[in-house]
């Protein structure tokens, strides 16, 4: 076995698989057919199949290493083939890594809603955002004050069905005055990959996607989207166009202390936040905007009124309860509260993950990652580097198409082309749920351990990926 692998792969290319598994710290074992007593190792049958699919005679990049995957459309992402092959899907984020923390909180976030409650469309009919539940508004203000990441005084809170709806509402609000030409929407590359689609999906005559803000040379009105910390690369950003006639919109979904140091409260005309990035409750579909201009806020409310006649009150009440628990746990100095602070807990897990990831990248010699400078966090009262929710990976060593290269190893990522840059980059998911180990029971807390056994001459002789149970610690287990 060692001789075969050594013939087909170099040590550096074999380490790619190890790196990919470390990237996500999870592996979806598809249609597991082996006996649980086999220690849940990816069986030699699968290893042999991967080797058999390799084509060393092929001169292409993919052919040198392995046979490419079949095309996977956007609608198929997240699905896995119904056979015994294992696919590592790092294409999109899903914040289930927070499940362990919220399980520890027990009934603190439980909400009971009587059947007679919320029969009305209105929350407070006289308010500018008439469908915003007062309880949620209060907890949003409180959390921003506890963390110190945004100014809420003099701002109108507009709630939306996730920040995606708020993005559309913002575009409508800023462009509905009847301009003769569509307003151009730009963002500095690499930009959030959903911006182009979300902007142009309805082919509106009010606005259009204009691409990379760094090369924007238009003379008309424009909207510049400033995502900070940025998705996908994690850098803190400012605007780059800086000319008259422009509107700045700040997407601060990741401006929380488990991802980046909180250096000062954000003070902008319009900022977007979302519960999914703050607490991990993506399924509740709640986001909010802090808007300085009341006319813009009213137009955003009007868009939401027309499109969905408000926002689910059930989701708002649940989000309010969750935010309250976060504030209760983090209200003291340095994030010390009545119980363990979500941000401190998650920050420690992200720190550990990034240390492991950087070590894997260092050993691979094939990839590189962004480098961040430490900054002081006023909330956590310590200095640290940014800990992005995604890994912005660049393929080196002459590999021009990183997505295709990794796909040939059954590792699914998102190409840099979706983010306005070259194909040598990919975005990989850093956040994910706790893997469930067959044989330990569906509720077992587990991690995937990727180990490599090298022969006497340094050639890899065994790929051993196994599940093992974790001991519960005072922190409540290991976030995966």
């Amino acid at each position: 076995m060692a001789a075969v692998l050594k013939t087909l792969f170099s040590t550096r290319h074999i380490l790619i698989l190890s790196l990919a598994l470390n990237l996500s710290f999870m592996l979806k074992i598809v249609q597991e057919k082996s006996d649980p007593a086999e220690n849940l190792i990816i069986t030699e049958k699968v290893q042999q199949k991967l080797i058999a699919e390799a084509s060393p005679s092929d001169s292409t990049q993919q052919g040198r290493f392995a046979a490419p995957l079949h095309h996977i459309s956007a609608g198929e992402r997240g699905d896995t083939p119904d056979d015994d092959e294992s696919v590592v899907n790092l294409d999109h984020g899903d914040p289930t890594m927070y499940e362990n923390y919220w399980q520890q909180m027990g009934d603190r976030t439980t909400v009971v809603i009587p059947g007679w409650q919320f029969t009305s469309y209105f929350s407070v009919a006289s308010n500018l955002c008439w469908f915003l539940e007062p309880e949620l508004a209060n907890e949003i203000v409180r959390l921003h004050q506890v963390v110190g990441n945004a100014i809420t005084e003099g701002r109108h809170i507009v709630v939306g069905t996730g920040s995606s709806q708020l993005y559309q509402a913002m575009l409508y609000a800023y462009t509905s005055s009847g301009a003769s030409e569509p307003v151009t929407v730009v963002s500095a590359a690499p930009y959030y990959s959903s911006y182009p689609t979300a902007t142009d999906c309805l082919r509106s005559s009010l606005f259009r996607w204009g691409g990379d803000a760094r090369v924007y040379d238009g003379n008309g009105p424009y909207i510049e989207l400033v995502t900070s910390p940025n998705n996908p690369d994690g850098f803190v950003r400012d605007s780059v166009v800086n000319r008259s006639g422009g509107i700045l919109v700040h997407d601060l979904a990741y401006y929380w202390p488990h991802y980046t140091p909180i250096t000062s409260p954000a003070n902008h005309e319009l900022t977007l936040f979302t519960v999914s990035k703050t607490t991990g409750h993506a399924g509740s579909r709640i986001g909010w905007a802090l808007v300085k201009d009341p006319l813009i806020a009213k137009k955003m409310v009007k868009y939401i009124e027309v499109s969905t006649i408000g926002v689910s009150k059930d989701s708002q009440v649940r989000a309010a309860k969750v935010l309250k628990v976060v504030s209760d746990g983090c209200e003291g100095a340095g994030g010390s509260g009545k119980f363990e602070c979500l941000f401190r807990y998650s920050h420690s897990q992200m720190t550990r993950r990034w240390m492991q990831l950087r070590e894997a990248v260092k050993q691979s010699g094939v990839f590189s990652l962004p480098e961040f400078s430490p900054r002081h966090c006023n909330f956590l009262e310590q200095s640290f580097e940014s800990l992005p929710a995604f890994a912005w990976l660049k393929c080196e060593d002459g590999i021009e198409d990183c997505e295709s290269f990794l796909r040939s190893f059954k590792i699914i990522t998102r190409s840099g082309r979706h983010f306005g840059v070259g194909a040598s980059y990919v975005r990989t998911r850093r956040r994910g749920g706790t893997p469930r180990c067959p044989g330990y029971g569906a509720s077992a807390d587990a991690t995937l351990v990727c180990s490599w056994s090298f022969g006497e001459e340094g050639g890899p002789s065994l790929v051993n990926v196994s599940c093992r149970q974790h001991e519960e610690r005072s922190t409540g287990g290991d976030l995966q």
Side-chain angles (χ1 to χ4, degrees):
M1 187 62 146
V4 174
L5 282 172
K6 185 176 179 181
T7 300
L8 295 178
F9 306 111
S10 69
T11 299
R12 184 167 52 186
H13 291 133
I14 284 292
L15 281 169
I16 292 168
L17 288 177
S18 175
L19 169 61
L21 294 172
N22 278 290
L23 285 174
S24 62
F25 294 95
M26 62 177 288
L27 183 64
K28 295 180 180 178
I29 304 298
V30 182
Q31 195 71 20
E32 180 64 35
K33 296 181 179 179
S34 61
D35 191 290
E38 295 178 356
N39 196 31
L40 309 176
I41 296 173
I42 291 184
T43 63
E44 190 165 343
K45 175 182 176 182
V46 176
Q47 297 175 33
Q48 291 172 345
K49 185 167 185 175
L50 289 172
I51 294 169
E53 288 176 343
S55 177
S57 62
D58 192 337
S59 60
T60 65
Q61 283 183 352
Q62 288 185 359
R64 290 206 311 269
F65 306 115
L69 282 179
H70 68 283
H71 176 71
I72 297 181
S73 67
E76 294 173 286
R77 288 173 180 167
D79 296 333
T80 48
D82 188 22
D83 55 31
D84 62 356
E85 296 183 12
S86 299
V87 176
V88 182
N89 191 338
L90 310 179
D91 175 65
H92 57 276
D94 192 15
T96 53
M97 68 167 280
Y98 298 97
E99 282 181 356
N100 280 0
Y101 176 85
W102 292 113
Q103 286 171 357
Q104 294 172 48
M105 294 300 102
D107 292 334
R108 287 191 178 99
T109 56
T110 298
V111 176
V112 178
I113 301 176
W116 54 265
Q117 198 170 0
F118 302 145
T119 56
S120 173
Y121 288 112
F122 299 93
S123 296
V124 180
S126 59
N127 283 354
L128 185 151
C129 187
W130 50 265
F131 46 81
L132 170 61
E133 285 295 300
E135 183 181 357
L136 177 59
N138 292 338
E139 294 302 334
I140 287 172
V141 171
R142 182 190 176 199
L143 184 60
H144 282 305
Q145 291 175 343
V146 167
V147 176
N149 65 337
I151 292 175
T152 57
E153 185 177 359
R155 303 303 195 276
H156 300 277
I157 300 175
V158 180
V159 66
T161 305
S163 59
S164 300
Q165 185 182 36
L166 291 167
Y167 177 75
Q168 296 288 347
M170 173 276 297
L171 291 177
Y172 170 80
Y174 277 125
T175 63
S176 57
S177 56
S180 57
E181 294 291 332
V183 175
T184 302
V185 182
V186 296
S187 185
Y191 43 71
Y192 178 40
S193 60
S194 291
Y195 283 154
T197 303
T199 304
D200 288 341
C201 64
L202 296 180
R203 301 185 182 277
S204 172
S205 62
L206 299 176
F207 45 82
R208 64 186 174 196
W209 177 247
D212 187 358
R214 301 182 196 278
V215 297
Y216 173 69
D217 60 357
N219 295 319
Y222 68 91
I223 297 173
E224 181 180 355
L225 308 170
V226 181
T227 307
S228 183
N230 189 42
N231 178 356
D233 60 15
F235 284 104
V236 174
R237 287 187 158 189
D238 293 314
S239 61
V240 299
V241 179
N242 297 321
R243 66 177 66 172
S244 61
I247 296 168
L248 294 181
V249 174
H250 288 77
D251 185 344
L252 304 187
Y254 295 100
Y255 191 45
W256 297 98
H258 43 344
Y259 304 122
T260 194
I262 304 301
T263 57
S264 62
N267 183 13
H268 306 297
E269 288 290 324
L270 192 154
T271 55
L272 300 175
F273 293 93
T274 173
V275 164
S276 64
K277 309 307 186 297
T278 309
T279 70
H281 290 82
S284 293
R285 307 307 306 130
I286 291 293
W288 67 92
L290 303 178
V291 188
K292 184 180 289 188
D293 188 337
L295 295 179
I296 296 299
K298 287 179 181 178
K299 288 184 178 182
M300 292 180 69
V301 169
K302 185 63 177 179
Y303 176 90
I304 296 172
E305 175 187 327
V306 170
S307 60
T308 56
I309 320 180
V311 176
S312 167
K313 296 183 181 181
D314 294 25
S315 291
Q316 289 189 60
V317 168
R318 184 180 187 223
K321 191 64 174 290
V322 168
L323 297 186
K324 180 181 185 303
V325 170
V326 175
S327 292
D328 287 347
C330 301
E331 204 162 28
S336 59
K338 299 177 181 178
F339 38 82
E340 186 169 20
C341 174
L342 169 68
F343 300 127
R344 275 199 170 280
Y345 183 82
S346 299
H347 175 266
S348 67
Q349 304 305 321
M350 294 295 287
T351 299
R352 175 184 58 80
R353 287 180 169 208
W354 271 97
M355 288 178 62
Q356 293 174 321
L357 174 61
R358 289 196 182 278
E359 181 60 27
V361 168
K362 181 180 177 180
Q363 292 180 11
S364 77
V366 179
F367 303 108
S368 61
L369 288 166
E371 297 291 339
F372 306 102
S373 299
R375 292 172 297 132
H376 182 75
C377 178
N378 296 331
F379 174 75
L380 292 178
E381 298 180 345
Q382 65 184 80
S383 295
F384 60 91
E385 300 175 4
S386 291
L387 305 164
F390 296 96
W392 185 235
L393 202 66
K394 183 180 181 182
C395 280
E396 308 287 358
D397 196 37
I399 300 171
E400 297 179 356
D401 189 337
C402 200
E403 180 188 33
S404 295
F405 176 68
L406 292 174
R407 184 180 287 268
S408 71
F409 287 98
K410 308 187 188 305
I411 301 163
I412 303 171
T413 59
R414 189 172 300 184
S415 172
R417 289 174 293 193
H418 297 289
F419 302 87
V421 296
S424 61
Y425 290 91
V426 294
R427 191 195 71 176
T428 65
R429 179 177 62 190
R430 291 286 301 136
R431 298 174 303 154
T434 302
R436 305 305 183 192
C437 285
Y440 286 125
S443 62
D445 182 23
T447 189
L448 288 170
V449 181
C450 182
S451 61
W452 294 84
S453 174
F454 290 89
E456 293 181 358
E457 297 181 1
S461 60
L462 178 66
V463 181
N464 177 23
V465 183
S466 61
C467 277
R468 64 175 172 82
Q469 232 173 349
H470 277 295
E471 294 180 359
E472 293 292 334
R473 297 179 173 85
S474 57
T475 57
D478 198 8
L479 280 177
Q480 292 295 326

